[in-house]
Amino acid sequence: MSRRALTLLIAGFLVLALGVVGAFRPVPYVVLSPGPTENTIGEVDKKPVITIKGRQTYPTSGALSLVTVAYQGGPAAQIDLLTALRGWIDPTVAVVPQETIFAPDRDPKEVEQENTVEMTNSQDSATAAALNELKIPYSTVVTVVSTEKGKPAEGKLAKDDEIIAVDGRPAKNVDVVSEAVKAHKPGENVLFTVTRGGKKLDVTVPTVAGPKGQTLVGVLMQAKYKFPFDVEINVGDVGGPSAGMMFSLGIVDKLTPGELTGGKKIAGTGTIEPSGQVGAIGGIAQKMVGARKSGASIFLTPADNCAEATKAVPDGLRLVKADTLHDAVLALDALRTGKGNVPACEAG
């Protein structure tokens, strides 16, 4: 073998070796793919996804499925270049920079915990939205989450205090409490009426000026709902708020006579506010693929996701636009009966 041929052979081997080694080097990307779907009027691990106690429920049929996105990669388990390349050529998945999913200064475990909290809050909001849709009254309680160290509320208000009133005005929601405090000048006192351990207490808390001159006492609050019956939602390891609308629809279906789906397999996504407003979500393309794989023919789509969704909708999946929970209920009624308007997603 000539020296030239030997040189070319060695060079080719080195290039191949470097290519193989490079293919398995970790890269800061995350692969997003269609995740599992769960029927909100069905079961997970032989347990109903939605259980309602203390109120009459009705039979359901078909499916009202939430959809999810699975991810591979992240700071703790980076994918290799070869996996990323496979993802880039697969139209059903997305490869995105790692920082779009995991903020550089965030612990992945913290993100997962936040997703769990968001899912819990989403379930409460979904129940509230469903009851609002059905005009079933419930009450809202403002509770103390924590007090800020060194601020006036520390040592005066306590975690889990239920704020009944501020300066004698009913504390209907967190905004009412915040505005009542801001109505004072820094240095003035605020009278909180709270329930603590089953006892009603009046607590006087001084105010101070915040960094922008606003009046504050240093308390973190959140709204908790008191529903007239129990609604339990079981979804296993699913996290995040994007299943809110589908939870609401499942609750509405169980609480009303007749079958909301008409026996069809329907999937969808979207966050939900207690008012019934449906919000946009991420990973719409992967969620639509998962929905179609599960057998769904109808996909309820947040209005703000419609433009993106129409560019990647799988064959056989009909996109139905949902601005609000009420819109979604009316659309399902129209699909079932053949009467009424079914709003379609339009390309942006």
Side-chain angles (χ1 to χ4, degrees):
M1 180 181 295
S2 68
R3 178 176 295 180
R4 176 180 174 81
L6 180 61
T7 301
L8 289 173
L9 179 63
I10 293 172
F13 175 78
L14 289 174
V15 169
L16 178 62
L18 287 172
V20 170
V21 171
F24 292 98
R25 286 183 62 84
V27 291
Y29 289 91
V30 174
V31 175
L32 305 179
S33 58
T37 62
E38 300 292 356
N39 180 11
T40 62
I41 52 176
E43 295 184 342
V44 173
D45 297 330
K46 298 182 180 180
K47 294 181 179 179
V49 173
I50 298 172
T51 301
I52 298 173
K53 298 177 181 178
R55 183 89 175 191
Q56 182 177 359
T57 58
Y58 300 88
T60 61
S61 69
L64 287 167
S65 296
L66 62 86
V67 287
T68 63
V69 174
Y71 70 85
Q72 181 182 2
Q78 286 190 325
I79 60 172
D80 56 43
L81 179 60
L82 188 60
T83 300
L85 291 172
R86 284 199 299 262
W88 274 313
I89 62 176
D90 185 343
T92 68
V93 305
V95 181
V96 299
Q98 183 175 283
E99 60 267 21
T100 63
I101 307 297
F102 301 95
D105 58 345
R106 299 293 306 282
D107 184 334
K109 290 184 178 179
E110 288 182 358
V111 175
E112 288 183 7
Q113 289 172 350
E114 284 188 4
N115 284 340
T116 301
V117 171
E118 286 181 342
M119 174 58 82
T120 300
N121 291 340
S122 172
Q123 292 170 6
D124 288 342
S125 294
T127 302
L131 269 58
N132 284 334
E133 173 67 21
L134 299 174
K135 295 179 170 54
I136 298 173
Y138 61 90
S139 60
T140 305
V141 177
V142 178
T143 62
V144 174
V145 176
S146 63
T147 56
E148 190 176 347
K149 188 174 180 60
K151 292 296 189 292
E154 184 183 17
K156 292 184 175 291
L157 296 176
K159 185 178 183 298
D160 296 328
D161 277 355
E162 293 185 357
I163 302 174
I164 302 170
V166 185
D167 295 329
R169 295 175 54 199
K172 295 180 179 180
N173 53 51
V174 171
D175 289 340
V176 167
V177 177
S178 296
E179 291 304 318
V181 172
K182 291 176 183 177
H184 287 269
K185 295 179 180 179
E188 294 180 347
N189 291 333
V190 181
L191 178 63
F192 289 86
T193 303
V194 304
T195 299
R196 181 184 302 166
K199 296 181 179 180
K200 185 176 177 181
L201 302 172
D202 285 333
V203 182
T204 300
V205 183
T207 60
V208 294
K212 296 181 180 180
Q214 75 276 29
T215 304
L216 55 79
V217 296
V219 61
L220 177 63
M221 302 168 289
Q222 73 176 38
K224 288 189 176 180
Y225 304 104
K226 289 191 175 181
F227 301 119
F229 47 86
D230 292 332
V231 178
E232 297 176 4
I233 298 178
N234 163 49
V235 286
D237 294 330
V238 175
S242 65
M245 176 175 64
M246 300 311 294
F247 287 143
S248 289
L249 289 170
I251 294 167
V252 169
D253 198 9
K254 283 176 172 282
L255 288 175
T256 51
E259 298 169 338
L260 196 58
T261 67
K264 292 183 174 68
K265 287 189 175 181
I266 294 165
T269 188
T271 64
I272 196 76
E273 296 293 329
S275 64
Q277 186 67 41
V278 175
I281 52 80
I284 190 75
Q286 289 70 47
K287 290 179 178 180
M288 290 189 298
V289 171
R292 191 70 188 106
K293 285 183 177 179
S294 73
S297 56
I298 305 293
F299 191 79
L300 298 170
T301 312
D304 288 342
N305 283 119
C306 273
E308 179 185 0
T310 55
K311 297 175 183 177
V313 57
D315 291 339
L317 194 65
R318 179 180 180 181
L319 301 185
V320 175
K321 182 174 70 173
D323 259 316
T324 66
L325 175 62
H326 187 63
D327 291 341
V329 171
L330 291 180
L332 292 179
D333 285 341
L335 287 166
R336 185 182 68 256
T337 63
K339 300 176 182 179
N341 179 48
V342 181
C345 274
E346 297 179 358

